[in-house]
Amino acid sequence: MSLPPDLAGLLSPPQDFDARPVVEWLIRMAADAGASDLHLRPSEGMVEVLTRVDGVLAEQLQLPGEIYERLLVGLKNMARVQSFRKSTPQDGRLSVDGCEVRLSTGPSHFGEKAILRLVRPGQQLPALDELGLEQSQLRRWQTILRQPQGLVLATGPAGSGKTTTLYASLRWLWEGQARWLGPRQGARLNVVTLEDPVEVVLPEFTQTPLQPAAGMTFATGLRSLLRQDPDVILVGEIRDPETASASVQSSLSGHLVLSTVHARDSVGVVPRLLELGVEPYLLSAALGGVIYQRLVRRLCSCHNQGRAVGCPHCHASGYRGRLALAEVLSVNENLRQGILDRLPLARLRQLGQDTGMVPLVEAARSLVKENQTSVDEVQRCVGSY
């Protein structure tokens, strides 16, 4: 695999090139492709350069192995991490053309692997109705969001768009309240967030990054946010018993609390929070609704009867962009009683479907029928069809 001429010129001479322009070239290449991540993976005699676009990781080019050590030292210096540390993981940040890049390095058999996450500050946040949710699901989710208080959760695997959905939900609430609060001019919600890190800067909200070294964790930060007269609170992730307890208590004290938690499906958040030490009577009273989602690639207009074809517009992939595939669980009195009684998961799921929740697989079939995505893509992301 030959290198592009402009990149090859930047890498000459191999033992004495300037690493900064090379790093910038690689990041620009990834950004131009719309990649969320850039991987530098050392192997025997060479370094693979891979990008993740629309959730799919693919090799773009190969760099000669002899240049990698110098390139990695330059990358570490740009991200302000210790270049001499090779046996332990490190995290750092740099910026190229206004694109914020988060660097994570870690040891591997052939040397350190580097993962660069690209965050574009000017990237347009989609509106809630642009996420791809089916209309009935969108209306159910909006009804959940308009509750005056309660715990509202987004769940799904890493990279499934949970944070984007919550951001879009917050903005929908914030913009809607200007109409819902009545004729008083300037009426608005006080929305505060606690994030690790702040993914997208939204000026209308008060966003607070975590600082664990200073004792600012999700749990301690949440207690601080409660003194800032919030209407709506976003907690980046519920990952430990202390944060779970603080989030539930905050929702019971009259606040709408949005957060993410890892679970296998929408109903799976119930045993997950119980495992984290939340008492059933508290969870039953607090839980307002859950959205469980995956991201599937959207078929390009070049598709043939729902099958990916490939054209220059989609870079021969057959897909352009992604949309949310989701199931939305609203909590009614029967489900609250089921949580209180610690019913088995299968029974809780049936109670959820009784409220009108459409299972993820059925939602996927609807998207395939509408030629929004393909059977192959659904099987890749969901595992069944």
Side-chain angles (χ1 to χ4, degrees), residues 185-204:
Q185 189 170 2
R188 65 181 63 184
L189 288 174
N190 179 21
V191 179
V192 297
T193 77
L194 189 61
E195 305 173 62
D196 181 29
V198 173
E199 295 284 351
V200 179
V201 176
L202 301 171
E204 57 265 47

Side-chain angles (χ1 to χ4, degrees), residues 37-41 48-52 57 113-115:
D37 299 87
L38 170 66
H39 291 219
L40 303 179
R41 180 180 177 271
E48 294 178 302
V49 178
L50 307 99
T51 56
R52 186 177 297 279
L57 190 66
K113 183 177 181 179
I115 310 295

Side-chain angles (χ1 to χ4, degrees), residues 114 117 145 159 216 253 271 303:
R117 167 64 58 90
L145 292 172
M216 183 69 160
S253 66
H303 73 86

Side-chain angles (χ1 to χ4, degrees), residues 151 153 235-240 243-244 247 259-262 273 276:
L151 181 62
L153 299 173
V235 180
E237 182 181 355
I238 296 176
R239 60 172 70 141
D240 55 59
T243 306
S247 299
S259 189
T260 68
V261 65
H262 287 289
L273 290 173
L276 289 173

Side-chain angles (χ1 to χ4, degrees), residues 217-292:
T217 64
F218 277 126
T220 59
L222 184 52
R223 286 192 288 269
S224 174
L225 291 184
L226 289 175
R227 295 190 290 270
Q228 296 185 13
D229 187 29
D231 296 304
V232 182
I233 302 170
L234 170 67
V235 180
E237 182 181 355
I238 296 176
R239 60 172 70 141
D240 55 59
E242 194 178 7
T243 306
S245 175
S247 299
V248 168
Q249 293 291 348
S250 299
S251 68
L252 291 173
S253 66
H255 302 91
L256 184 64
V257 179
L258 280 64
S259 189
T260 68
V261 65
H262 287 289
R264 285 185 59 87
D265 56 23
S266 58
V267 181
V269 304
V270 174
R272 175 59 182 149
L273 290 173
L274 294 177
E275 289 171 3
L276 289 173
V278 178
E279 292 293 338
Y281 74 94
L282 293 175
L283 182 57
S284 172
L287 189 61
V290 183
I291 185 169
Y292 166 60

